[in-house]
Amino acid sequence: PAPSTYVSDADLMAALKTAALAAPDMHTAPVKNTDHYRINVVQRTKPQGAIAHPGFMEVHHIIEGTGTLVTGGTIVRPAGAAATSATIEGGVTRRVAKGDVILVPAGAPHWYKDVDGTITYLEVRFEEVK
């Protein structure tokens, strides 16, 4: 069997701090990424545009902070606008906080509409098994 992957909290937080220098609004500390799955710690300081990942499910486990997450519905982006301006119409809006776990089905739109300061979460994205 393959060896286990271990990344300490200190290493993850240091990676987030370094990544924040290049991308202050949203940055990641990788745990392990392949073609079939992605495991990262993500930190957001501002909302980004709505997104969906066809063929991939996601689990978000909130480590720190609070925000407003919208899931489902339809992604809406004005013609010619940047991807970061995409929103969701008709989705379900929830407040999320430390300890919450969210499962986003494959292809489902999701969007951190509001972030209260900073929100940090473990993101596990994996290929949908059909």
Side-chain angles (χ1 to χ4, degrees):
S4 298
T5 298
Y6 173 81
V7 183
S8 72
D9 180 65
D11 289 343
L12 289 167
M13 294 307 117
L16 283 176
K17 188 180 242 185
T18 299
L21 298 173
D25 296 344
M26 185 184 101
H27 38 279
T28 62
V31 175
K32 186 153 184 162
N33 294 292
T34 74
D35 291 341
H36 303 287
Y37 64 86
R38 299 180 60 78
I39 305 171
N40 297 297
V41 173
V42 178
Q43 190 168 70
R44 295 174 180 266
T45 59
K46 292 183 181 174
Q48 299 290 304
I51 194 165
H53 307 288
F56 287 86
M57 300 176 74
E58 281 192 351
V59 175
H60 293 189
H61 177 239
I62 310 299
I63 298 169
E64 197 65 51
T66 58
T68 303
L69 177 66
V70 182
T71 57
T74 304
I75 295 177
V76 177
R77 183 175 10 166
T84 56
S85 67
T87 61
I88 292 178
E89 282 185 2
V92 176
T93 301
R94 291 185 178 87
R95 292 290 295 162
V96 294
K98 182 178 180 176
D100 291 349
V101 176
I102 303 98
L103 174 62
V104 180
H110 52 287
W111 172 40
Y112 282 88
K113 179 180 179 181
D114 297 308
V115 175
D116 301 329
T118 299
I119 191 166
T120 306
Y121 56 93
L122 176 68
E123 171 193 73
V124 179
R125 183 182 311 160
F126 53 96
E127 204 166 20
E128 178 182 34
V129 179
K130 295 183 180 185

